[in-house]
Amino acid sequence: MAEPKPIHVLQLYPRDMNIYGDFGNALVLQRRLQWRGYEPILHSYDPEDEFPEQVDLVIGGGGQDSGQDKIQQDLLRIGDRLHTLAQSGTPMLMICGLYQLFGHSFRTREGREIKGVGILDLRTEGTDTRLIGNVVAESTEFGEILGYENHSGQTYLGPGVQPLARVTKGEGNNAKDSYEGARFKNIVGSYLHGSLLPKNPAIADFLIATAVQNRYAEAIQPQIDPAGSAQPIDELTRKARTTATRRPR
């Protein structure tokens, strides 16, 4: 049997940007890569770390304003590397705080500006209002997207990005336009925690399929059922999604 092909997954700033279960996104990618016969190699990157030489997929989570302060200068330092990866089509998932900092700027409610790397054409304004609760959103690309939001920053998209989905329950990017998240090239940005990927395997498989296609110029292998029966993981996911849609806001 051939050795599994490696896929390198980079998690940005897990020490400071990893709240509300965002590390679960890394675990989902690890397992779903394994189930498709690939070898996931997980890298963590915190301020002043050495940036990995090989990166096939990038993920990042949310954090408090203080966490964004801690990583801001380092994020700008590696901004050119991230821009190069983004422009080359590397799949990325940015959640909440790092979603904001992949934009142009985040102005806190005190009026202090935290500069972003400008990969995504969006800006965020801090407010005194928290958008918090369960979210259901409709995406033409990924179907129904489920998650949990908890943020006081309100994000407004520019013309250089498309919204990820239209919200049917909850708020999403802000309290005005009913959009959730952003899409640009192979980047998915979102406010949804919980973690996002366990409840939204279509997004996980998009990230994996894109990474595999970029690295090996091949379609992803069929999923290997870890329990030996007919897709029990997918059935559990379906039941979890059904339950999640019924949860109150």
Side-chain angles (χ1 to χ4, degrees), residues 192-214:
L192 301 186
H193 301 283
S195 315
L196 176 69
L197 295 185
K199 287 182 285 192
N200 298 280
I203 299 177
D205 286 346
F206 160 76
L207 297 168
I208 290 171
T210 305
V212 169
Q213 179 64 40
N214 288 349

Side-chain angles (χ1 to χ4, degrees), residues 64-91:
Q64 304 295 334
D65 290 0
S66 59
Q68 296 188 36
D69 272 339
K70 289 180 182 178
I71 70 165
Q72 179 189 14
Q73 291 305 315
D74 189 83
L75 181 64
L76 295 176
R77 183 178 68 85
I78 65 170
D80 287 347
R81 294 289 302 272
L82 295 173
H83 271 273
T84 298
L85 289 169
Q87 291 298 325
S88 68
T90 301

Side-chain angles (χ1 to χ4, degrees), residues 6-21:
I7 292 292
H8 292 257
V9 179
L10 172 62
Q11 184 174 21
L12 295 176
Y13 307 112
R15 191 168 62 208
D16 298 302
M17 306 296 286
N18 178 25
I19 58 175
Y20 304 122

Side-chain angles (χ1 to χ4, degrees), residues 25-45:
N25 292 324
L27 297 179
V28 167
L29 293 171
Q30 180 182 37
R31 289 291 180 262
R32 294 186 80 85
L33 279 163
Q34 290 171 336
W35 295 340
R36 293 183 181 277
Y38 297 95
E39 178 189 4
I41 300 176
L42 302 182
H43 303 270
S44 294
Y45 178 88

Side-chain angles (χ1 to χ4, degrees), residues 80-131:
D80 287 347
R81 294 289 302 272
L82 295 173
H83 271 273
T84 298
L85 289 169
Q87 291 298 325
S88 68
T90 301
M92 302 183 181
L93 173 66
M94 294 297 130
I95 301 295
C96 198
L98 275 169
Y99 169 42
Q100 294 172 349
L101 292 184
F102 261 52
H104 300 299
S105 64
F106 170 43
R107 184 175 295 278
T108 70
R109 58 185 176 179
E110 297 82 17
R112 181 168 44 87
E113 184 170 290
I114 300 176
K115 187 176 181 180
V117 291
I119 293 173
L120 299 176
D121 183 16
L122 55 87
R123 298 181 186 277
T124 302
E125 298 287 335
T127 70
D128 292 325
T129 301
R130 293 203 74 82
L131 308 182

